[in-house]
Amino acid sequence: VLAAVHNTASAFQVAPLSSSRPSVHLAISPLEEVTGDPFDSYTPGASTEVAVKQLSPGSGEGATEDDVLTVEYTGRLFANQKQFVKSKEDFAFKIGGGNVMPGFDKGLRGQKAGAKVTLRIPPKFAYGATGKGSSIAGGQIIPPNADLEFDIEVKKISSGIDGELEVFGKGRAAGLVVSFLLLAISPFLG
């Protein structure tokens, strides 16, 4: 059977060339409607990439590899929205440093200081098939193959020695300097 295919704004129409047969109309959404927003179309167990929803853009330069981000965050299991962790204080980590789950690195790369985002993280960029221990910061167990959701505020972006001090902790660094000074002057104290 010979047919003519016409692309309309919202559907494809297949019409036989012979006028003796009725037309067939197939409703196929255009590609833009099929793919949609990765965050809104995130499907637990099926989505394979980190989805980011920008709540507030922040300002300044976007974070890149080896930058140190200082963040506050709240984590939930995507399936039931049960919170399993909430940062009690600012948390600092280096992008690409291996100190956080890969989903944090992927979702926060390019974010700016002051940005507020929600990340939806599939298991392969979270805790995978093993899940996460008996608790995280006194929170709930993360089951194997769990999709996670985090609300994150980027408080600060640092680089160089300032960034390293953020990760190490300025209080610990000051204590280390004082300890070295005391060791250096101890022979002179008597």
Side-chain angles (χ1 to χ4, degrees):
V1 173
L2 295 175
V5 177
H6 304 282
N7 182 5
T8 66
S10 62
F12 290 94
Q13 295 179 344
V14 180
L17 292 178
S18 164
S19 61
S20 64
R21 294 193 167 159
S23 295
V24 176
H25 298 276
L26 301 174
I28 301 174
S29 300
L31 185 58
E32 299 86 339
E33 292 177 15
V34 172
T35 57
D37 176 15
F39 187 85
D40 292 332
S41 63
Y42 187 91
T43 306
S47 292
T48 59
E49 292 300 321
V50 175
V52 181
K53 182 174 189 173
Q54 189 84 50
L55 305 173
S56 176
S59 61
E61 295 293 317
T64 60
E65 190 79 10
D66 293 329
D67 279 346
V68 172
L69 274 64
T70 303
V71 300
E72 284 184 6
Y73 61 90
T74 301
R76 295 177 297 283
L77 297 173
F78 185 82
N80 61 13
Q81 293 297 296
K82 207 169 216 184
Q83 181 178 310
F84 61 84
V85 69
K86 181 173 178 59
S87 59
K88 295 179 176 141
E89 57 189 43
D90 290 351
F91 172 71
F93 70 95
K94 183 188 284 192
I95 291 187
N99 302 61
V100 293
M101 69 179 73
F104 262 50
D105 279 348
K106 289 178 79 59
L108 294 175
R109 186 173 276 120
Q111 297 298 328
K112 300 173 181 178
K116 292 181 183 179
V117 298
T118 299
L119 304 181
R120 291 184 174 165
I121 303 176
K124 77 175 188 175
F125 294 117
Y127 297 108
T130 58
K132 182 63 177 171
S134 60
S135 69
I136 293 181
Q140 174 184 345
I141 295 171
I142 298 175
N145 297 313
D147 292 83
L148 306 178
E149 186 171 82
F150 285 88
D151 292 324
I152 303 171
E153 180 179 358
V154 179
K155 307 290 262 176
K156 181 178 172 183
I157 299 174
S158 309
S159 58
I161 191 70
D162 190 41
E164 298 298 329
L165 285 173
E166 285 293 329
V167 172
F168 185 70
K170 290 182 180 176
R172 283 195 283 174
L176 191 60
V177 169
V178 169
S179 296
F180 281 127
L181 287 173
L182 288 174
L183 284 173
I185 63 169
S186 64
F188 303 107
L189 295 177

